[in-house]
Amino acid sequence: MQIRILAAAAALLLVAGHALAIEKITFPTRIGTVVFPHKKHQEALGQCRGCHEKGPGRIEGFDKVLAHGRGCKGCHEELKKGPTRCNGCHNGK
Ligand code: HEC
Ligand code: HEC
Ligand code: HEC
């Protein structure tokens, strides 16, 4: 019984996770648009925490400083995955 309830809860979470699987988010900047493959990050990292500390949605205070720090680039440096050079991120049309 207990197990069945847990399984149902897990299935619901999966559905909710899928509905929130935002494919891409773009940040237009004056040196070139940054295209952020959001869904790819969800899949690669397997969690929302680390980026979303207060639950899914817009990230309060997300800006250039955060993007060049732990919000984007810092994590790429730490994990040695993902672009760390300017034009690796600022390359969108
Ligand atoms: C690698 C970092 C990262 C991961 C992992 C991540 N997100 Fe995001 N997410 C972002 C960023 C950055 C934004 C844009 C924030 C902003 O502009 O304020 C965002 C935006 C969102 C938005 C709002 C989109 C909009 O346009 O309103 C939702 C909803 C969201 N994420 C859900 C999730 C969920 C659910 C997960 C986990 C399954 C997740 N995210 C994992 C970084 C991430
Ligand atoms: C918590 C760690 C983490 C954060 C934060 C993060 N990334 Fe990444 N990023 C990764 C990892 C891991 C990969 C490699 C994913 C793969 O190859 O499957 C990656 C890959 C990428 C790629 C290359 C995707 C491809 O198709 O090769 C781009 C572009 C990128 N990240 C942009 C961003 C931007 C822009 C942000 C901030 C809005 C960001 N990332 C935040 C971990 C992170
Ligand atoms: C890992 C991805 C990534 C890398 C690498 C990166 N940036 Fe950014 N940068 C971003 C994101 C995302 C934003 C947008 C932040 C926001 O507005 O919320 C941004 C914003 C900016 C802005 C602000 C532009 C404006 O219109 O206000 C400038 C300037 C900038 N970056 C220059 C650089 C330079 C120069 C480099 C290389 C030394 C660099 N960036 C490397 C992701 C990156």
Side-chain angles (χ1 to χ4, degrees):
M1 192 61 202
Q2 195 73 6
I3 287 162
R4 246 187 240 174
I5 292 168
L6 277 175
L12 259 176
L13 267 177
L14 278 176
V15 172
H18 187 76
L20 288 169
I22 295 151
E23 189 70 39
K24 285 193 170 98
I25 295 173
T26 53
F27 297 91
T29 80
R30 62 188 161 79
I31 66 155
T33 296
V34 178
V35 181
F36 173 45
H38 187 266
K39 190 174 167 208
K40 196 167 192 176
H41 282 76
Q42 290 182 329
E43 288 165 357
L45 299 164
Q47 59 169 12
C48 319
R49 280 193 177 274
C51 297
H52 295 279
E53 300 304 342
K54 295 179 184 164
R58 308 296 294 184
I59 297 169
E60 204 182 306
F62 194 90
D63 62 0
K64 180 182 154 183
V65 175
L66 198 54
H68 294 163
R70 66 180 169 81
C72 305
K73 194 176 155 191
C75 179
H76 293 170
E77 285 168 348
E78 208 177 297
L79 298 182
K80 297 187 167 44
K81 275 184 186 166
T84 55
R85 298 169 66 122
C86 312
N87 63 5
C89 286
H90 293 275
N91 59 6
K93 289 104 219 156

